[in-house]
Amino acid sequence: MKKFLLMLLALGCMGFLAAKVDLNTATLQELMQLPISEEQARDIFEYREYKQIFNNIFELRDIPSIDQSTLLRLRPLVVVSLYVETDDVALRREEIRDLLERLDSNEGSAEGMADVWEDYLMTPQNVNRMQFDDLISLPNVSGVDAVAILRRTAQGDTIADTRDLRGSTGLSHYGYTNLRSYVYFKEPPVKDRLMWDAQLQYYTRYFEEGQYDMLHESFLRNDYGSTTVQVPHLKSLSYWGYYGLDKLDPDIMMKMRMRYGNNFKLGIMNYTAKGEPGLLTTNTEDFLKDSKFYAGYENSVMPGLNNSRLKVYLGNYRVTYGEGLVMENTDYYSARKTGFGFSKRILGITPDLSRTQEYSLKGGAVEYTTPMFGVSAFASQDEKDAIVYVNRDGTPVKRDDFGNDVFTNKDSSSEYFGRQYYINEDGDTVYNYENGNQVSADKIKVLNYTNPTLRYDTDSLMEAEAWFNSELDKGTPYATDYINLATRTDALNEKLLGTHLQVNPFIGTKLGFTTYTSYYDNAHFIVPGNDDLLKTLLRDSYYYTKLSKALNAEITSLYSTQNDSYSRDYRRIIGFDGQTVIGNTSVQGEYAELSVTGGDTKIGDDPKAYLVSSYTQFENLYFITILRNYDVGFDNPYSNSFSEHERFEDSILEKNIYALTNPTTADLYLNSNQSQPERGVYFETRYKFNNFFTVGRSYLDLWERLTDGRRTSRFQSELEFRPLFQVSLRLRYKNQVNRYDDDAERGVSKTNEYTMAARTFLSARDFLELEYRYNTVQSPPYTSLTNPAEIGENTMAAAMTLMTGDYIAANYTHNFNSSLKLQGSFLYWFGHGISHWDWEDMEIDFMGERGSKAWIAITSRISQNLYMNIKFKNKTYQDKELRVRLYNDPDYTDPNYPNVTLVDDPVYFQRVEHSENTIRFSLDYRF
């Protein structure tokens, strides 16, 4: 009987508690059932959602609309349960990172935008007050979706909640699902909240294949032939050996951001890449100099002006307008960056704590926008890395205002081409005396900007170059027997001024004008012409007649501040952009010109670039069309537009690194951020037939490389079949044909890629995927290995070679609980000369000739505000076979190495196996 009474008592208590409204779990509708006003119910709900959960009932008094009498009235009707807080910001950040894994670009280009998107997730915007550019800058929100929302709010129809948002006429389901996480529908009752986000990342990164090869290129004297024994000191005759780059030297990034409410922002980031001085060896002054920071103020509603917005930023910031032709400052290149989906551009001025260094803007920027117009201005002053012409002793070559190089030799004066030059007592400042008048000649001679793989300081690089030059001096002189081009960090003083003006005459329609001018007060950009290019870039005259000049037009067409026609100290880009939405189609485009010899107000008389695109949207279908044309002479370092390849592809900076006077000049290609000069048209679509069949992202691109007229087609399509919601079967086919218009041309190559994948979505969001890929490449043989085609001598030169390769992979994700996740992958590939790629958890990886790779990553929410991610990867693979040809005298013997035997045949080194173990560890603390 006693047990029965206790059970009745327990059930009664449970019923009593069940009748009360739990402040920490109640929906908005449940709160509205209480004896309070609708406004008070919303204030309680938004206090819990946007500020904090309730620890006790008396915290209701922290809400301005809840007075003491209301609290007493609610006290017997509500309860505060023990509640484990789920941080919406953390969930949203995790959500956006999951989505970013599908981004079809490299990690670097996505990183800067992810910071801004994560910032928007931390402090969502009021959807009823957003402008057109705000909406279309969000991932997967199209111009058509933006117009659907703006037309509704323009009529005074306030969007009250997510259900109301979904009911907006013209808003697609895809746009709605991606937009809802970034917006709210009413000003939160408590605006002042201080939020911190601190990140630490440790990454033992290996160099990419092209960078690895560049750093291994040796500076060998002209008398070395092939050897049958290893010369001990040869390892130190490359940058790799000289700096000991095979040792553990991790990338370390520290980042901290602060936001107070929706208005004030602060941030600082320090990134130490592989090869750079570590934090323990860097003093405070150098640490601050090498760090990126910003301080910003944003006000979304100016007093008396509806929906106007003001942004002010000091420090490092990012500027993007139009299609990225005039201005989108980033170090990273992404192929086929359409500007839609996840390859979005965040328009306007935003803070920048990305890893972009070379093209980062540092100074001040202001932006003021209203629904009808916008204006922004930005100024930057920073020191940029550059490829500099250097003397034999490593000092930069000077340039006077008459277009003459000044070679200094530290004497009191020197005679050069009939002019008298005086070197100041500091041994550096040089003056030219022209007709008895002193003219400054202290500007350094620069080839171009560079984003160096190794950012060693100038003194260290000069010491390395002196060591390499001492080796080159020992043999028979080359045509260029010393390092004449070298990377110099912080060598170029750049002052940049820019502005953007925009008018929005109708909802969804805008017209913009953008221009910037970069001033250089200490340098002249000098680019050699066709006749001098190979003599400037190549060490050995043997290659002068062996390499194609057509493919090097991208180098000779780089911008010069001084030539036979003019002498100036600036670079100016001018352009305009526009966009309009007609029905379910958005049309946008941009035109840009580099001012060279034409007038700034005249269109078409200077190197130009333009892009026009359209996006047509249906509920389960979209079409993208992009038309682009980039002149060979359009050299804009701050451009980052749609293209298939980056600038300098297939030039001597990619194909002939071994022949360069300095291999690190290849950084111009390896770390290029600009689009290659090309003209073409691109089509893309996706169509969901029903719940079972979907044609995934499919595209066709037809383009012509303007340097040599090579025409290429690239096609990719994917079909997904889902017999069950938890099971997905995918087939993907990709085809690319170079020189599709001329089968007899030696540049013809045909690539086919076939992929099959089976995916299953398990319980608790677990995921398992099996994938198989098969590739074929058909192309002509290399005549440099088979000798020129002659009648009766070499029929191989007219043949076609077929290379095949395959790849198999397994990917797995397991969620132990909501705070602990494991991801992993194993794959094996056999390239047979074909390069394979793999998209890992947050980065893309390119593999070598043959090998296997396995990685595992653990993500854990250690505490309420602390997140940890650790990833371990092992990659074991083989290089392509190295061939060394004997071009020198076989009887030569180095007196320093009498035991070295020279042979008369090429030496074949066996395939080299590499084993790489990398660790990426990151901590993220948010308060």
Side-chain angles (χ1 to χ4, degrees):
M1 186 65 181
K2 185 176 182 181
K3 290 183 179 181
F4 178 74
L5 292 175
L6 289 175
M7 291 176 63
L8 288 177
L9 179 63
L11 290 173
C13 292
M14 291 175 63
F16 177 76
L17 291 175
K20 292 190 175 185
V21 176
D22 189 340
L23 293 178
N24 282 332
T25 61
T27 64
L28 179 60
Q29 288 71 24
E30 290 173 335
L31 292 172
M32 288 182 176
Q33 301 301 316
L34 295 171
I36 55 178
S37 67
E38 180 180 342
E39 178 185 359
Q40 290 175 321
R42 287 186 180 276
D43 287 348
I44 294 174
F45 180 80
E46 292 180 0
Y47 180 94
R48 185 190 74 201
E49 293 296 310
Y50 294 110
K51 186 176 182 182
Q52 66 181 33
I53 63 170
F54 292 96
N55 295 310
N56 55 71
I57 191 175
F58 301 102
E59 288 182 353
L60 287 171
R61 290 289 284 114
D62 294 336
I63 301 175
S65 62
I66 306 298
D67 55 18
Q68 183 65 25
S69 61
T70 304
L71 174 64
L72 294 176
R73 188 165 61 252
L74 291 177
R75 186 174 181 179
L77 304 176
V78 299
V79 66
V80 175
S81 64
L82 178 63
Y83 184 74
V84 178
E85 180 184 5
T86 300
D87 194 322
D88 284 343
V89 174
L91 292 176
R92 288 168 177 168
R93 291 179 64 194
E94 185 174 332
E95 174 188 2
I96 195 65
R97 284 176 178 170
D98 290 341
L99 295 173
L100 283 174
E101 293 179 8
R102 296 184 242 157
L103 192 65
D104 190 20
S105 64
N106 61 48
E107 182 188 13
S109 65
E111 179 198 21
M113 296 194 300
D115 278 346
V116 178
W117 284 338
E118 290 175 4
D119 209 20
Y120 290 162
L121 288 170
M122 292 172 65
T123 54
Q125 302 178 69
N126 189 328
V127 69
N128 295 292
R129 294 176 179 172
M130 295 178 72
Q131 299 176 15
F132 184 69
D133 284 353
D134 299 329
L135 291 166
I136 64 175
S137 295
L138 296 176
N140 291 301
V141 178
S142 69
V144 179
D145 295 326
V147 167
I149 294 172
L150 292 175
R151 284 179 176 166
R152 179 175 176 179
T153 56
Q155 296 172 357
D157 185 4
T158 302
I159 301 175
D161 50 38
T162 54
R163 178 177 296 180
D164 199 10
L165 175 66
R166 180 66 188 98
S168 300
T169 303
L171 177 63
S172 67
H173 176 74
Y174 202 51
Y176 157 74
T177 55
N178 287 279
L179 175 64
R180 60 185 178 182
S181 296
Y182 293 89
V183 299
Y184 62 89
F185 308 96
K186 183 181 177 182
E187 291 285 354
V190 180
K191 298 180 180 180
D192 299 331
R193 179 182 177 186
L194 183 64
M195 290 173 284
W196 290 84
D197 186 358
Q199 297 177 352
L200 171 66
Q201 185 179 99
Y202 174 97
Y203 188 16
T204 57
R205 174 179 59 91
Y206 282 80
F207 291 106
E208 297 178 3
E209 184 178 358
Q211 297 170 334
Y212 178 90
D213 293 341
M214 175 190 72
L215 297 172
H216 275 82
E217 287 296 337
S218 296
F219 295 85
L220 296 179
R221 66 184 70 171
N222 205 8
D223 300 315
Y224 276 126
S226 302
T227 64
T228 55
V229 297
Q230 185 179 21
V231 181
H233 82 298
L234 290 185
K235 290 184 178 180
S236 63
L237 292 179
S238 67
Y239 284 99
W240 187 277
Y242 184 87
Y243 286 110
L245 296 178
D246 53 350
K247 65 178 182 294
L248 179 65
D249 194 2
D251 291 7
I252 297 177
M253 184 193 72
M254 297 187 299
K255 181 190 299 186
M256 184 170 64
R257 294 184 294 165
M258 184 199 77
R259 174 188 283 268
Y260 184 74
N262 288 322
N263 304 122
F264 298 97
K265 301 179 182 180
L266 290 173
I268 185 171
M269 187 273 286
N270 182 271
Y271 174 63
T272 304
K274 184 178 178 68
E276 297 182 22
L279 296 176
L280 298 179
T281 59
T282 302
N283 56 45
T284 304
E285 181 179 353
D286 290 338
F287 175 83
L288 295 176
K289 180 182 177 182
D290 295 335
S291 298
K292 299 178 69 174
F293 64 91
Y294 67 81
Y297 172 80
E298 294 188 18
N299 195 337
S300 59
V301 180
M302 296 290 289
L305 296 175
N306 186 32
N307 287 5
S308 62
R309 174 170 299 174
L310 174 68
K311 292 183 181 181
V312 180
Y313 279 96
L314 298 176
N316 293 99
Y317 57 91
R318 186 167 180 170
V319 181
T320 302
Y321 292 109
E323 305 300 314
L325 288 177
V326 175
M327 175 59 69
E328 184 179 2
N329 59 307
T330 178
D331 286 355
Y332 301 98
Y333 171 83
S334 294
R336 296 175 294 283
K337 186 176 182 179
T338 63
F340 303 101
F342 276 103
S343 61
K344 276 295 188 73
R345 294 180 174 87
I346 301 179
L347 302 178
I349 294 171
T350 54
D352 180 20
L353 291 186
S354 68
R355 291 176 298 161
T356 290
Q357 295 288 338
E358 178 67 2
Y359 302 111
S360 175
L361 296 179
K362 186 177 183 180
V366 59
E367 177 181 279
Y368 177 71
T369 58
T370 72
M372 296 302 296
F373 72 91
V375 58
S376 64
F378 46 96
S380 171
Q381 182 171 353
D382 200 7
E383 296 175 339
K384 304 297 184 180
D385 303 336
I387 299 293
V388 177
Y389 295 83
V390 295
N391 298 298
R392 190 177 295 271
D393 62 358
T395 58
V397 174
K398 301 291 185 174
R399 187 81 170 180
D400 70 9
D401 295 330
F402 299 96
N404 299 307
D405 294 345
V406 183
F407 297 93
T408 62
N409 56 12
K410 301 300 181 182
D411 295 333
S412 60
S413 65
S414 61
E415 189 82 13
Y416 181 67
F417 286 114
R419 289 193 175 93
Q420 189 74 17
Y421 294 93
Y422 172 73
I423 302 173
N424 207 351
E425 293 180 356
D426 61 9
D428 186 39
T429 304
V430 183
Y431 297 95
N432 164 35
Y433 285 87
E434 177 72 13
N435 298 326
N437 297 319
Q438 178 177 295
V439 181
S440 175
D442 59 353
K443 290 188 176 182
I444 63 175
K445 185 179 177 183
V446 170
L447 177 63
N448 201 29
Y449 292 87
T450 186
N451 182 14
T453 299
L454 298 176
R455 295 196 76 252
Y456 287 109
D457 61 74
T458 297
D459 291 339
S460 177
L461 289 171
M462 288 178 64
E463 291 176 2
E465 292 156 12
W467 169 250
F468 300 147
N469 282 336
S470 67
E471 173 65 20
L472 298 176
D473 285 340
K474 293 177 182 178
T476 304
Y478 288 103
T480 304
D481 59 350
Y482 71 99
I483 296 174
N484 64 332
L485 293 169
T487 298
R488 292 292 180 262
T489 55
D490 299 333
L492 181 65
N493 294 335
E494 181 197 67
K495 298 177 182 178
L496 186 147
L497 300 175
T499 187
H500 175 78
L501 305 175
Q502 181 173 307
V503 293
N504 313 311
F506 315 108
I507 292 178
T509 298
K510 62 177 183 175
L511 296 172
F513 169 81
T514 311
T515 182
Y516 82 84
T517 302
S518 292
Y519 296 94
Y520 314 104
D521 60 3
N522 74 325
H524 273 304
F525 285 80
I526 306 297
V527 180
N530 289 325
D531 295 335
D532 298 325
L533 177 67
L534 298 184
K535 297 177 183 179
T536 302
L537 294 182
L538 304 182
R539 184 185 307 151
D540 195 339
S541 60
Y542 169 83
Y543 297 105
Y544 289 176
T545 59
K546 304 293 184 182
L547 305 179
S548 170
K549 291 184 179 180
L551 296 177
N552 298 320
E554 294 178 27
I555 306 174
T556 58
S557 61
L558 290 172
Y559 179 72
S560 294
T561 58
Q562 191 179 70
N563 56 28
D564 296 337
S565 303
Y566 59 81
S567 180
R568 58 179 63 144
D569 62 351
Y570 66 87
R571 180 197 313 251
R572 178 172 294 132
I573 307 292
I574 301 173
F576 54 87
D577 64 274
Q579 181 172 1
T580 188
V581 176
I582 305 173
N584 65 338
T585 299
S586 172
V587 180
Q588 49 278 317
E590 184 176 18
Y591 178 91
E593 271 194 16
L594 166 66
S595 294
V596 182
T597 57
D600 290 347
T601 59
K602 186 177 180 180
I603 297 177
D605 57 349
D606 276 324
K608 63 185 180 302
Y610 61 84
L611 183 149
V612 179
S613 67
S614 68
Y615 179 89
T616 301
Q617 172 180 294
F618 299 92
E619 188 63 26
N620 295 312
L621 171 69
Y622 74 77
F623 291 105
I624 296 175
T625 303
I626 299 176
L627 175 68
R628 82 274 192 187
N629 188 315
Y630 313 138
D631 286 352
V632 177
F634 183 75
D635 176 22
N636 179 10
Y638 291 98
S639 174
N640 194 251
S641 56
F642 175 95
S643 71
E644 283 287 347
H645 297 292
E646 58 267 64
R647 195 176 182 99
F648 307 123
E649 194 219 20
D650 276 350
S651 71
I652 57 177
L653 297 176
E654 180 198 7
K655 299 296 186 181
N656 309 106
I657 297 177
Y658 57 87
L660 299 175
T661 58
N662 188 342
T664 58
T665 309
D667 275 328
L668 292 176
Y669 163 72
L670 294 172
N671 300 320
S672 173
N673 70 318
Q674 290 190 56
S675 300
Q676 188 167 50
E678 58 186 44
R679 173 174 54 232
V681 60
Y682 173 89
F683 305 96
E684 180 181 314
T685 188
R686 179 185 183 274
Y687 181 47
K688 183 177 181 180
F689 291 94
N690 48 47
N691 291 333
F692 299 101
F693 290 98
T694 300
V695 175
R697 177 174 175 259
S698 303
Y699 63 84
L700 171 65
D701 196 8
L702 304 171
W703 79 96
E704 177 184 357
R705 187 167 61 187
L706 297 183
T707 50
D708 63 343
R710 187 186 77 176
R711 296 182 178 180
T712 303
S713 67
R714 182 185 178 100
F715 170 78
Q716 176 178 303
S717 185
E718 180 179 285
L719 177 65
E720 180 183 40
F721 173 54
R722 303 190 74 162
L724 302 172
F725 178 78
Q726 297 88 350
V727 177
S728 169
L729 304 176
R730 291 191 177 189
L731 296 175
R732 183 171 66 240
Y733 171 69
K734 182 168 66 178
N735 170 267
Q736 179 168 320
V737 181
N738 294 325
R739 294 286 186 192
Y740 66 81
D741 57 326
D742 187 0
D743 286 338
E745 222 279 344
R746 286 203 51 79
V748 172
S749 67
K750 302 177 181 180
T751 302
N752 292 282
E753 181 180 294
Y754 311 86
T755 304
M756 298 181 296
R759 300 179 176 182
T760 177
F761 302 88
L762 308 173
S763 60
R765 298 182 63 192
D766 287 3
F767 170 77
L768 175 64
E769 178 185 44
L770 300 177
E771 180 180 350
Y772 176 75
R773 184 188 305 158
Y774 179 75
N775 294 54
T776 65
V777 177
Q778 192 175 14
S779 63
Y782 291 99
T783 54
S784 61
L785 299 179
T786 60
N787 297 319
E790 297 179 4
I791 297 177
E793 294 292 334
N794 185 12
T795 58
M796 186 64 183
M800 296 289 285
T801 61
L802 177 65
M803 295 182 291
T804 62
D806 54 0
Y807 156 113
I808 188 169
N811 303 298
Y812 179 61
T813 298
H814 175 59
N815 295 278
F816 293 95
N817 50 52
S818 60
S819 299
L820 182 62
K821 179 175 70 173
L822 180 145
Q823 293 175 280
S825 176
F826 174 80
L827 58 92
Y828 174 82
W829 73 93
F830 200 158
H832 296 280
I834 296 176
S835 176
H836 284 287
W837 60 272
D838 172 52
W839 185 261
E840 294 183 10
D841 58 330
M842 288 189 291
E843 57 191 323
I844 194 168
D845 185 28
F846 291 90
M847 283 86 80
E849 181 79 357
R850 176 183 180 181
S852 62
K853 181 177 71 171
W855 62 266
I856 184 171
I858 298 176
T859 302
S860 174
R861 184 178 183 180
I862 299 176
S863 65
Q864 179 174 327
N865 298 315
L866 184 62
Y867 295 80
M868 179 198 73
N869 178 276
I870 185 169
K871 174 183 175 182
F872 173 77
K873 178 174 71 175
N874 172 267
K875 184 166 70 171
T876 303
Y877 63 99
Q878 295 177 340
D879 282 341
K880 294 180 180 179
E881 193 169 14
L882 303 176
R883 297 176 176 86
V884 179
R885 285 185 169 271
L886 181 64
Y887 293 115
N888 304 298
D889 183 0
D891 297 325
Y892 173 78
T893 301
D894 188 341
N896 295 319
Y897 302 98
N899 296 325
V900 174
T901 303
L902 300 176
V903 296
D904 198 21
D905 294 317
V907 175
Y908 291 88
F909 295 92
Q910 297 298 318
R911 294 175 182 268
V912 181
E913 185 172 277
H914 298 264
S915 182
E916 300 177 354
N917 295 296
T918 61
I919 295 176
R920 187 184 67 208
F921 174 76
S922 63
L923 284 176
D924 187 352
Y925 180 78
R926 182 178 26 73
F927 172 74

